[in-house]
C-alpha cells in the first residue's frame, strides 16, 4: 500500500535543520510581493491584515528595504523566540500510533524498521500547525488509521491541512487522491514541501482556499481538524451529507456536545469518539446519505 518508501534517503534532498532562534518582525499590513529568495527568511505568516516575517537571524537591513519598497506596511514590533517555543515542541522523530514521523534533516529509519507495520512520514512542520504532537492531530491519525482499515477510502479531503500531515497519512494508508486545503499561504507551501518529501505529488494536491468552498466533489473521507465556527459551517452545508465518512476534530467539550447533537439530528452516525483528557474531542462517523 505504501508505494513510496519515505524512509528511502535517495528520494530526499539533503536538508539541514533550519530552526534555532526565530527572529520575528511583526507588521501592520500584508506584503504585496512575498520575499522568496531572501537570505535567512523562513516564512511569512499572514493573519487578520497583519504579517509576521520569520528569519533565522536578525535582519534589520532587509526589513528596512521591505518597508521602503512597500509603504502599506508599518513595523509594529520585533520578537526573538526559540523555535521550540513557537512550535511547542522539539523537532525530533517520534511515533504516533503506527506512524513514525521524522524531520527531513534526521536520518531516515531503515526500510521496515522498527517493524514492517510502521508507516514512515517525513515532515518539516516549519512554522505552521500540524507537527503531529497536538492531541487533536494524534487522535485524527488514530481515526484515520481506523477509517482506512475499514474498506479503505479512495479519495479524501483534508480541510485545514496545516503541514499536510493528515493528507500525507491518508495517502500512505492507501487513498489514491487527496485534496489538502488551507486558507494560509504559508501552510500551503509547507504542505507542498512535505508532500514532495514523501514522494506523493501524484496523489496529494495542496491548494489555498476556504474549507467551506471545497466540499465538492464529495470525497470518501472528509478530514477537518479546525476551529468550531468553520466546522459549524461545514456540517451545516448540504455538501457535508454527500461525503461518505468524516473525521472532525479541534472540538472542546461543550463544542463537541453541540456538534454531536447536530450530526445526529441530521441523520449522521458517529462510529467512534476520541477525547484527550476530556478536553479535545474527535469524531469519526458516517454521513446519513451513505448509511
Ligand atoms: N490538519 C492539521 C492542521 C490543523 S490546524 C492537523 O490536524 O494537525 C488548522 C488549520 O486550518 C490551520 O493551518 C489554519 O490555517 C487552517 N484554517 C483555518 N480556517 C480555515 C478555513 N476557513 N479554511 C481553510 N483552512 C483554514
Amino acid at each position: 500500500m505504501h508505494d513510496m518508501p519515505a524512509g528511502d534517503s535517495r528520494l530526499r534532498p539533503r536538508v539541514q535543520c533550519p530552526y534555532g532562534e526565530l527572529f520575528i518582525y511583526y507588521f501592520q499590513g500584508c506584503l504585496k510581493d512575498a520575499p522568496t529568495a531572501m537570505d535567512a527568511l523562513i516564512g511569512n505568516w499572514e493573519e487578520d491584515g497583519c504579517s509576521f516575517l520569520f528569519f533565522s537571524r536578525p535582519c534589520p537591513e532587509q526589513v528596512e528595504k521591505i518597508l521602503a519598497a512597500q509603504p502599506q506596511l508599518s513595523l509594529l514590533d520585533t520578537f526573538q523566540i526559540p523555535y521550540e517555543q513557537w512550535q511547542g515542541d522539539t523537532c525530533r522523530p517520534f511515533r504516533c500510533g503506527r506512524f513514525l514521523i521524522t524531520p527531513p534533516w534526521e536520518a531516515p529509519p531503515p526500510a521496515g524498521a522498527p517493524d514492517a507495520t510502521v508507516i514512515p512520514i517525513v515532515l518539516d512542520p516549519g512554522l505552521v500547525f500540524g507537527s503531529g504532537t497536538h492531541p487533536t492531530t494524534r487522535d485524527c491519525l488514530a481515526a484515520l488509521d481506523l477509517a482506512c482499515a475499514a474498506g479503505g477510502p479512495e479519495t479524501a479531503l483534508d480541510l485545514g491541512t496545516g503541514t499536510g500531515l493528515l493528507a500525507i497519512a491518508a495517502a500512505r494508508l492507501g487513498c489514491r487522491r487527496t485534496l489538502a486545503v488551507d486558507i494560509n499561504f504559508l501552510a500551503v507551501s509547507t504542505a507542498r514541501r512535505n508532500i514532495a518529501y514523501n514522494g506523493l505529488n501524484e496523489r496529494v494536491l495542496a491548494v489555498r482556499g476556504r474549507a467551506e468552498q471545497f466540499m465538492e466533489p464529495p470525497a470518501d473521507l472528509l478530514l477537518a481538524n479546525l476551529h468550531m465556527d468553520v466546522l459549524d459551517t461545514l456540517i451545516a452545508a448540504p455538501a457535508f451529507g454527500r461525503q461518505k465518512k468524516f473525521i472532525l476534530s479541534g472540538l472542546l467539550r461543550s463544542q463537541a456536545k453541540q456538534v454531536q447533537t447536530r450530526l445526529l439530528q441530521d441523520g449522521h452516525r458517529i462510529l467512534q469518539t476520541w477525547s484527550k483528557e476530556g478536553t479535545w474531542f474527535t469524531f469519526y462517523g458516517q454521513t446519513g446519505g451513505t448509511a
Side-chain angles (χ1 to χ4, degrees):
M1 231 195 273
H2 319 136
D3 66 341
M4 285 293 171
D8 186 340
S9 54
R10 288 166 305 176
L11 287 175
R12 301 214 212 143
R14 280 198 162 275
V15 180
Q16 285 201 325
C17 177
Y19 313 119
E21 285 293 298
L22 297 175
F23 298 85
I24 308 167
Y25 295 82
Y26 170 31
F27 302 92
Q28 180 69 54
C30 294
L31 276 84
K32 269 202 226 114
D33 307 305
T36 44
M38 208 169 245
D39 179 36
L41 177 71
I42 299 174
N44 169 29
W45 177 273
E46 281 184 1
E47 196 170 299
D48 299 332
C50 292
S51 309
F52 298 81
L53 278 188
F54 289 76
F55 291 91
S56 55
R57 59 174 168 74
C59 289
E61 302 86 9
Q62 306 204 18
V63 168
E64 280 304 316
K65 275 193 204 149
I66 292 172
L67 285 169
Q70 302 200 36
Q72 80 283 7
L73 299 174
S74 56
L75 185 64
L76 294 176
D77 213 341
T78 60
F79 313 94
Q80 177 185 346
I81 56 167
Y83 179 71
E84 292 97 64
Q85 200 173 316
W86 175 261
Q87 263 302 355
D89 246 302
T90 52
C91 241
R92 301 259 157 67
F94 66 97
R95 277 290 289 272
C96 181
R98 290 201 295 145
F99 300 98
L100 174 59
I101 300 169
T102 307
W105 49 85
E106 293 279 340
D115 67 69
T117 62
V118 165
I119 303 171
I121 288 182
V122 181
L123 196 84
D124 175 357
L127 301 167
V128 307
F129 191 95
S131 68
T133 54
H134 193 269
T136 58
T137 314
R138 297 182 78 92
D139 284 347
C140 282
L141 287 170
L144 190 55
D145 205 2
L146 181 67
C148 291
E154 293 266 302
T155 57
L157 260 177
D158 178 15
L159 302 180
T161 195
T163 59
L165 174 58
L166 300 181
I168 291 166
R172 279 264 170 273
L173 288 168
C175 276
R176 301 205 156 274
R177 276 178 298 125
T178 299
L179 183 65
V181 180
D182 205 289
I183 203 164
N184 187 283
F185 274 116
L186 192 57
V188 176
S189 56
T190 304
R192 284 185 182 149
R193 191 173 55 200
N194 285 322
I195 292 162
Y197 277 141
N198 289 278
L200 291 169
N201 283 337
E202 304 289 313
R203 295 169 66 174
V204 187
L205 177 68
V207 296
R208 179 169 180 259
R210 300 190 75 82
E212 301 86 321
Q213 293 166 349
F214 280 87
M215 283 202 290
E216 299 280 9
D220 293 342
L221 180 66
L222 175 130
L223 290 148
N225 182 8
L226 277 161
H227 45 96
M228 178 66 178
D229 52 342
V230 184
L231 282 180
D232 246 354
T233 314
L234 294 181
I235 297 167
F240 182 79
R242 293 194 274 277
Q243 319 295 321
K244 283 194 186 148
K245 299 217 169 136
F246 56 83
I247 294 169
L248 304 176
S249 189
L251 297 160
L252 294 165
R253 176 181 287 278
S254 63
Q255 300 172 331
K257 267 212 151 56
Q258 255 176 273
V259 167
Q260 183 172 7
T261 307
R262 173 87 207 225
L263 288 170
L264 299 180
Q265 265 171 5
D266 290 352
H268 308 308
R269 281 205 299 149
I270 293 175
L271 303 172
Q272 190 157 331
T273 303
W274 287 257
S275 101
K276 273 277 157 26
E277 297 131 25
T279 308
W280 293 106
F281 284 72
T282 301
F283 295 126
Y284 166 47
Q286 186 165 2
T287 60
T290 55

